């Protein structure tokens, strides 16, 4: 991967309480996936009443800190796209799969 546009897109976000979510679409420029054992948390999640992000939907996975994920190669996501939604935390990467 060489540019942000080459990185996996965030196809859906069902976390209504996130400042970047607008009608199930993430408006952050890029998300970071982190978290602890067992889940892959969207660490870009911000639970504020103020809406943020870009005017149009272009969100991609900027970084993935979950080295044990099947889609992780050198801390970059290789999935075709990802879905963000409720899991163990308020906002998790639902595409996360352990190796």
């Amino acid at each position: 991967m060489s540019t942000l546009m080459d990185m996996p897109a965030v196809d859906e976000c069902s976390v209504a309480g996130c400042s970047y979510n607008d009608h199930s679409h993430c408006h952050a420029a890029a998300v970071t996936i982190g978290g602890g054992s067992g889940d892959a948390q969207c660490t870009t999640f911000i639970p504020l009443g103020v809406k943020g992000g870009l005017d149009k939907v272009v969100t991609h996975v900027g970084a993935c800190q979950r080295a044990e994920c099947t889609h992780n190669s050198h801390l970059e996501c290789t999935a075709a796209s990802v879905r963000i939604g409720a899991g163990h935390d308020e906002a998790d990467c639902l595409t996360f799969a352990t190796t």
Side-chain angles (χ1 to χ4, degrees), residues 58-83:
V58 294
T59 308
H60 292 81
V61 178
C64 180
Q65 301 169 355
R66 301 306 304 267
E68 75 279 17
C69 181
T70 304
H71 305 291
N72 190 315
S73 177
H74 306 302
L75 301 179
E76 299 291 334
C77 183
T78 62
S81 62
V82 300
R83 292 175 38 248

Side-chain angles (χ1 to χ4, degrees), residues 35-39 66 68 88:
S37 63
D39 70 329
R66 301 306 304 267
E68 75 279 17
H88 295 291

